[in-house]
Amino acid sequence: TRHVTEPVIPPACATLSAQLSVSGNKVADADEGKLDTARIQKAMDTCGQGKAVVLKPSGANNAFLTGPLQLRAGVTLVVDGGVTLLASRDPRVYDISPGVCGTITAKGHGCNAMINGDGVSGAGVMGDGTIDGRGGAKIMGQNITWWDLAEKARQGGSQNCPRIMILNQCDNFTLYRITLKDSPNFHVSYNRGNGFTAWGVKVNCPRNARNTDAIDPGNARNVTITHCFIHTGDDNIAIKAGAPGPTTQMTIAHNHFYTGHGMSIGSETNGGASAILVSDLSIDGADNGLRIKSNSHKGGLVKDIVYEDVCIRDTKNPIYMDSDYEHGGRDGKLLPQFTGIVLRNVHIVGGGKLTLNGYDPAHKLGMLFDNVTFADLAKIKVISEHMEIGRASCRE
């Protein structure tokens, strides 16, 4: 319901000079305690709306080191080209409850994010620099990395690892040109807001870094993600649609995905997801391509989803409609239904598996294939049940 144009970096209200230097993702051991959190936060707290706090290099110094920051309404944080904003490795600075961050507990979610927004409108994070979550660096006081902790949690429980960005009820938020890398957990989580733009964002994270989703908008509307390049270890984009909703009016256009778990909707869909357009997307070497996932414990109606002008290459699961995600079983009462799903001008190169599964005869998968092409149909395996597929054009 809005017209989106390329963002513009606001004028500066304050310019902060780097006092540390970084090589790779490392600063000198003696500098690990020299946090810039207080001076960055003070600058944002005193900045006028419509202005920016700019982090700039100074001679050989090119890094800032921070714990959690709180964004302010109408204020943009700009990480200038050549600058890296590094996350502290100290789990204590992220604690929501004392001593929890950096441990495994039953529920997880025990860490504040590196950058936090709560009910602030018109804020943003921009610039040609890098924000580094340092997920592959050792947690201070432990002999494991954040990602090691996530792997350890596979044995039971949930890891408490900070995200780079958690944005709750932040209307008209903008990410522009920034590079995000190596988050210990999700890179960007945007929840319950109206108006989110990610334009020209780069996300870089290893394939094997667990739970490192790139950009996850949930229970949000008027979302645009465009001109982005994403390599990550989990969902490249995951649109969350849990209660209370709505999750609607989203455009994902002109993007390039590489390693990751693909263009996903779910697994929470019980709040409903609708009116989502994915256009001009390349997916190259991911585990999944176009994926909608849910199960009987968190399912709901997903409708009016259009994928058009998409090229998928060397991807294990090019199309993955999964109504029993994580084998959630048949004992839940929140049943998933995916209908009005359109694939138009979708080209698949290489082998892989198509999973086209509705939940049951009353909750069928409803899809239209319109000019869906397969470069090598002999290498494609199809698994399907409880579906109604229309075919305007489908060819090898």
Side-chain angles (χ1 to χ4, degrees):
T1 62
R2 60 186 188 142
H3 178 62
V4 179
T5 58
E6 184 169 358
V8 175
I9 294 177
C13 65
T15 299
L16 306 181
S17 296
Q19 298 175 350
L20 303 173
S21 61
V22 63
S23 176
N25 68 351
K26 296 181 180 179
V27 296
D29 289 343
D31 291 337
E32 282 286 357
K34 297 178 180 178
L35 298 183
D36 294 291
T37 314
R39 67 183 183 121
I40 298 172
Q41 189 65 60
K42 181 179 178 180
M44 291 197 295
D45 290 348
T46 56
C47 189
Q49 294 196 20
K51 300 292 182 66
V53 173
V54 181
L55 309 184
K56 294 185 71 70
S58 178
N61 293 329
N62 61 354
F64 294 77
L65 182 65
T66 190
L69 295 167
Q70 297 291 332
L71 295 169
R72 299 305 181 203
V75 176
T76 297
L77 178 64
V78 174
V79 183
D80 212 0
V83 170
T84 301
L85 178 60
L86 295 163
S88 171
R89 296 188 292 110
D90 182 0
R92 300 288 70 80
V93 303
Y94 303 102
D95 273 338
I96 293 176
S97 298
V100 172
C101 193
T103 68
I104 295 172
T105 60
K107 294 184 178 180
H109 301 289
C111 307
N112 287 300
M114 184 181 179
I115 298 173
N116 302 269
D118 294 291
V120 295
S121 63
V125 177
M126 303 184 183
D128 295 311
T130 298
I131 300 176
D132 188 343
R134 304 172 83 192
K138 287 185 179 179
I139 303 168
M140 198 173 289
Q142 302 188 44
N143 196 33
I144 60 172
T145 70
W146 295 106
W147 295 335
D148 292 336
L149 186 71
E151 285 297 323
K152 188 177 179 181
R154 291 184 189 274
Q155 302 169 19
S158 297
Q159 71 273 25
N160 291 280
C161 296
R163 300 176 180 185
I164 284 183
M165 217 171 293
I166 297 178
L167 309 166
N168 293 319
Q169 295 180 299
C170 294
D171 294 348
N172 301 316
F173 187 90
T174 303
L175 287 176
Y176 181 47
R177 295 198 332 225
I178 196 73
T179 295
L180 308 174
K181 66 175 292 188
D182 294 349
S183 183
N185 197 254
F186 295 2
H187 286 75
V188 179
S189 178
Y190 180 81
N191 306 302
R192 294 173 290 140
N194 184 352
F196 173 83
T197 300
W199 187 303
V201 175
K202 298 180 179 66
V203 179
N204 287 306
C205 195
R207 177 190 290 272
N208 61 349
R210 186 180 180 219
N211 297 144
T212 54
D213 293 24
I215 303 176
D216 287 6
N219 303 120
R221 63 193 310 154
N222 289 313
V223 169
T224 300
I225 301 172
T226 186
H227 297 92
C228 297
F229 295 79
I230 299 175
H231 303 249
T232 194
D234 208 301
D235 291 314
N236 299 78
I237 292 175
I239 297 171
K240 304 294 187 178
T247 297
T248 187
Q249 295 165 329
M250 297 187 179
T251 298
I252 319 296
H254 317 304
N255 298 294
H256 301 274
F257 295 173
Y258 302 93
T259 59
H261 292 180
M263 176 64 240
S264 297
I265 298 173
S267 56
E268 302 88 343
T269 61
N270 49 303
S274 64
I276 296 170
L277 170 66
V278 178
S279 178
D280 187 22
L281 171 65
S282 71
I283 302 176
D284 195 354
D287 290 337
N288 307 301
L290 308 177
R291 178 167 70 155
I292 305 178
K293 52 180 177 173
S294 196
N295 61 40
S296 69
H297 293 276
K298 46 189 171 183
L301 180 61
V302 179
K303 66 175 184 176
D304 300 333
I305 314 297
V306 176
Y307 305 94
E308 66 179 14
D309 301 328
V310 179
C311 185
I312 303 171
R313 181 170 68 178
D314 297 335
T315 294
K316 295 177 184 177
N317 299 286
I319 303 171
Y320 202 161
M321 303 291 127
D322 184 3
S323 60
D324 190 22
Y325 177 65
E326 294 181 328
H327 304 292
R330 299 277 169 168
D331 57 340
K333 296 181 179 180
L334 300 174
L335 306 186
Q337 182 167 18
F338 312 150
T339 189
I341 314 299
V342 177
L343 274 63
R344 180 179 296 119
N345 302 330
V346 175
H347 186 54
I348 297 171
V349 179
K353 181 172 68 174
L354 307 188
T355 300
L356 307 172
N357 286 342
Y359 183 76
D360 62 19
H363 300 83
K364 291 182 178 180
L365 168 65
M367 296 184 71
L368 172 68
F369 281 21
D370 181 359
N371 193 32
V372 177
T373 66
F374 301 87
D376 193 344
L377 193 58
K379 294 181 180 179
I380 297 293
K381 180 181 179 181
V382 179
I383 296 176
S384 63
E385 63 178 359
H386 308 308
M387 66 170 188
E388 293 179 346
I389 304 294
R391 292 181 296 170
S393 177
C394 186
R395 57 194 170 87
E396 181 178 357

